[in-house]
């Protein structure tokens, strides 16, 4: 097992222990360590309070001080350290109305979501497992810590997280855990869409997406998520991992009568543009019937995004969106066409709008944009070379103002 990430953090824990505090690795890093999976970051839990953590370490960042979390900077790396804590009542299915710092590890881990995430490990790699999380990992079971209904009533996002873990790990949901999800699924409507989207992005790219997605549908989860509740998911199948932007685009193409705005998802403008681009790309594929069509298509959308769509041909076929025409649009023709393009973006054209205005001695206007498109297409077809003088001569003979 790869222990290097834990070894690098050992001085942090040792410093806390030297000052008579308890300190452990906890959560996902311990779970992944036990599963022999790659570990990307670690979480540390301690009996030291935020004040005490800040007193011990030279450089700290109070990223979530009110919740007991302090980042310690050590050898140019940041380590998130959280004080053992218990929580008050949950009033809104999202967050506790109070957080209490405690000195007992058991009190801390018993508030966590699933048994596999409630395992702690000390500096000697000794495991502290109060809820048989190791056994659940070995049996490939997702089980809540304690009563499922209580855990999901506290924070409804745990329902989506549980299904996300299922998609990533391929584990089965323990029966009472699934029933707890079912009885509290309506509570996810109280969650912010941002928190849900974070989990759904990971869920849909999970290796074991099929069962998890089917559980989302059987729980009627989409009925309680803004934007998604506008679509009919009984018509939509997902059997392989798919990135979030392509998923939304495919959904929009399949159900074009739905007018839900992407702004409801509160995603970045870059993601909105990616969805719109994929949507148009998918809609354009059936219209490609010639080599010139293919050239324009590859130029407009780029080979990376086109090949990504081709890699999801099963998703498009299963949902009766499009059936690809492999004789015209396939990886070989896309790669070959892209390699032969004289330009791959408008920025590469040897002239600009000012050159055209000067040559024609005309003021700017709405006519300029379609002309630039005509020039692009002429270069792509090989009708003219991408050279300034040749392009301007072409403009003189082809443009009527």
């Amino acid at each position: 097992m790869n222990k290097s990430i834990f070894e690098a953090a050992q001085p942090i824990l040792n410093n806390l222990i030297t000052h008579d505090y308890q300190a452990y690795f906890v959560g996902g890093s311990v779970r992944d360590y036990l599963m022999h999976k790659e570990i990307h970051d670690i979480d540390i839990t301690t009996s030291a309070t935020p004040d005490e953590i800040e007193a011990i370490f030279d450089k700290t960042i109070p990223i979530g001080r009110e919740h007991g979390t302090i980042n310690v900077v050590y050898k140019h790396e940041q380590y998130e350290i959280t004080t053992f804590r218990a929580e008050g009542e949950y009033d809104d299915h999202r967050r506790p109305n109070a957080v209490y710092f405690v000195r007992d590890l058991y009190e801390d881990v018993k508030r966590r979501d699933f048994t596999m995430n409630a395992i702690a490990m000390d500096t000697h790699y000794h495991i502290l497992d109060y809820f048989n999380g190791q056994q659940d990992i070995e049996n490939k079971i997702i089980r809540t810590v304690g009563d499922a209904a209580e855990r999901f009533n506290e924070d409804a996002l745990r329902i989506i997280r549980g299904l996300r873990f299922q998609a990533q790990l391929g584990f089965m949901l323990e029966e009472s855990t699934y029933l707890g999800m079912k009885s509290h699924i309506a509570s996810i409507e109280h969650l912010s869409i941002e928190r849900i989207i974070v989990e759904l992005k990971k869920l849909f790219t999970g290796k074991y997406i099929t069962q998890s997605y089917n559980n989302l549908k059987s729980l009627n989860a989409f009925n309680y998520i803004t934007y998604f509740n506008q679509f009919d998911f009984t018509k939509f199948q997902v059997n392989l991992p798919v990135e979030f932007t392509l998923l939304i685009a495919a959904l929009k193409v399949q159900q074009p009568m739905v007018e839900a705005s992407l702004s409801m998802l509160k995603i970045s403008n870059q993601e909105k543009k990616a969805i719109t681009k994929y949507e148009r790309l998918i809609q354009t594929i059936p219209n490609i019937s010639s080599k010139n069509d293919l050239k324009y298509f590859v130029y407009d959308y780029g080979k990376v995004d086109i090949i990504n769509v081709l890699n999801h041909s099963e998703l498009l076929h299963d949902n009766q969106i499009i059936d690809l025409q492999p004789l015209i649009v396939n990886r070989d023709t896309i790669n070959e066409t892209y390699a032969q393009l004289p330009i791959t973006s408008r920025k590469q054209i040897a002239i600009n709008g000012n050159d055209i205005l000067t040559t024609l001695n005309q003021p700017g206007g709405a006519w300029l944009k379609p002309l630039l498109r005509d020039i692009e297409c002429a270069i792509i077809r090989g009708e003219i070379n991408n050279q300034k003088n040749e392009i301007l001569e072409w403009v003189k003979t082809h443009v009527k103002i």
Side-chain angles (χ1 to χ4, degrees):
M1 287 188 254
N2 183 6
K3 297 181 178 179
S4 60
I5 193 168
F6 295 112
E7 297 292 338
Q10 289 279 13
I12 302 291
L13 278 75
N14 289 335
N15 196 8
L16 287 162
I17 293 167
T18 299
H19 286 82
D20 297 324
Y21 300 111
Q22 300 173 57
Y24 303 95
F25 300 109
V26 72
S29 61
V30 178
R31 178 197 68 229
D32 291 342
Y33 170 75
L34 294 172
M35 293 181 66
H36 307 273
K37 293 172 66 70
E38 184 179 358
I39 301 166
H40 299 285
D41 51 49
I42 60 173
D43 290 325
I44 298 168
T45 188
T46 180
S47 59
T49 65
D51 286 343
E52 291 164 341
I53 295 170
E54 290 175 330
I56 292 172
F57 295 97
D58 294 332
K59 190 169 184 181
T60 60
I61 304 171
I63 60 165
R65 204 175 193 288
E66 68 277 16
H67 301 295
T69 301
I70 301 290
N71 268 18
V72 168
V73 182
Y74 176 74
K75 290 188 175 181
H76 309 293
E77 296 288 340
Q78 290 190 28
Y79 295 93
E80 188 172 292
I81 304 178
T82 302
T83 303
F84 295 163
R85 64 190 191 188
E87 296 171 343
E89 296 296 320
Y90 284 72
D91 295 330
D92 55 7
H93 310 287
R94 288 177 291 178
R95 62 182 71 86
N97 54 27
V99 172
Y100 308 99
F101 300 142
V102 296
R103 299 289 188 179
D104 183 7
L105 174 66
Y106 175 82
E107 290 298 317
D108 179 80
V109 294
K110 79 173 187 180
R111 67 176 176 80
R112 295 177 181 262
D113 51 8
F114 303 104
T115 59
M116 62 182 179
N117 296 330
I119 306 170
M121 183 172 72
D122 68 16
T123 55
H124 302 292
Y125 300 93
H126 173 70
I127 297 298
L128 293 91
D129 181 11
Y130 298 104
F131 303 100
N132 298 316
Q134 275 185 284
Q135 190 65 50
D136 285 340
I137 290 173
E138 290 175 14
N139 293 333
K140 298 185 176 182
I141 290 174
I142 296 172
R143 184 195 313 270
T144 55
V145 174
D147 182 71
E150 189 175 333
R151 294 289 82 76
F152 297 134
N153 185 56
E154 290 169 347
D155 185 355
L157 188 67
R158 288 169 173 166
I159 298 173
I160 310 298
R161 277 173 56 82
L163 296 173
R164 186 256 288 182
F165 286 126
Q166 182 180 45
Q168 292 177 319
L169 304 176
F171 288 10
M172 296 297 295
L173 296 172
E174 181 263 339
E175 184 179 5
S176 64
T177 298
Y178 177 81
L179 293 175
M181 289 178 170
K182 193 170 185 177
S183 64
H184 285 82
I185 191 63
S187 297
I188 67 174
E189 67 182 354
H190 300 290
L191 301 171
S192 71
I193 187 64
E194 294 96 330
R195 292 183 76 198
I196 293 175
I197 294 299
V198 168
E199 296 299 330
L200 289 182
K201 286 178 179 177
K202 298 175 184 177
L203 185 153
F204 280 111
T205 55
K207 182 180 178 180
Y208 306 96
I209 177 60
T210 303
Q211 185 60 50
S212 182
Y213 177 71
N214 288 338
N215 279 331
L216 275 170
K217 293 203 294 184
S218 69
L219 291 167
N220 295 317
F222 294 114
N223 292 351
Y224 304 101
I225 305 175
T226 186
Y227 184 83
F228 292 90
N229 57 12
Q230 306 296 306
F231 294 88
D232 182 357
F233 278 88
T234 65
K235 299 177 180 179
F236 198 78
Q237 307 300 318
V238 180
N239 295 311
L240 290 170
V242 56
E243 66 184 70
F244 184 76
T245 51
L246 181 52
L247 171 90
I248 299 299
L251 192 60
K252 283 167 63 64
V253 176
Q254 187 206 51
Q255 301 179 39
M257 300 303 291
V258 175
E259 297 181 355
S261 170
L262 289 176
S263 62
M264 298 169 69
L265 293 173
K266 297 187 179 179
I267 54 179
S268 69
N269 287 333
Q270 183 178 355
E271 289 172 307
K272 292 175 188 174
K273 289 179 181 177
I275 291 169
T276 300
K277 183 178 180 182
Y278 277 133
E279 185 180 1
R280 291 173 180 166
L281 191 163
I282 294 167
Q283 292 168 329
T284 302
I285 288 177
N287 302 323
I288 299 170
S289 58
S290 69
K291 286 187 176 180
N292 278 338
D293 288 343
L294 187 62
K295 289 177 184 178
Y296 303 144
F297 178 61
V298 174
Y299 173 80
D300 287 336
Y301 294 102
K303 72 172 184 177
V304 173
D305 287 336
I306 296 172
I307 289 177
N308 192 27
V309 169
L310 296 182
N311 289 339
H312 291 84
S313 58
E314 186 173 327
L315 174 77
L316 303 178
H317 172 78
D318 289 348
N319 290 293
Q320 294 82 48
I321 296 171
I322 56 169
D323 279 323
L324 299 172
Q325 303 177 45
L327 293 178
I328 300 176
V329 182
N330 59 61
R331 290 177 190 83
D332 290 339
T333 60
I334 298 303
N335 282 317
E336 181 181 346
T337 301
Y338 186 84
Q340 294 175 353
L341 288 176
I343 57 173
T344 56
S345 78
R346 179 171 289 185
K347 293 179 181 178
Q348 295 174 345
I349 297 178
I351 65 164
N352 57 40
N354 287 331
D355 295 326
I356 296 173
L357 298 179
T358 300
T359 298
L360 298 177
N361 193 26
Q362 292 290 332
W367 57 273
L368 187 58
K369 185 174 181 180
L371 173 57
L372 286 169
R373 176 61 178 177
D374 289 342
I375 293 170
E376 279 181 307
C377 293
I379 295 172
I380 292 165
R381 288 193 304 270
E383 186 176 322
I384 54 175
N385 293 313
N386 186 30
Q387 296 177 359
K388 184 174 183 178
N389 290 338
E390 187 171 338
I391 295 171
L392 291 176
E393 285 301 316
W394 184 92
V395 168
K396 290 176 185 178
T397 59
H398 287 74
V399 176
K400 294 181 181 180
I401 303 298

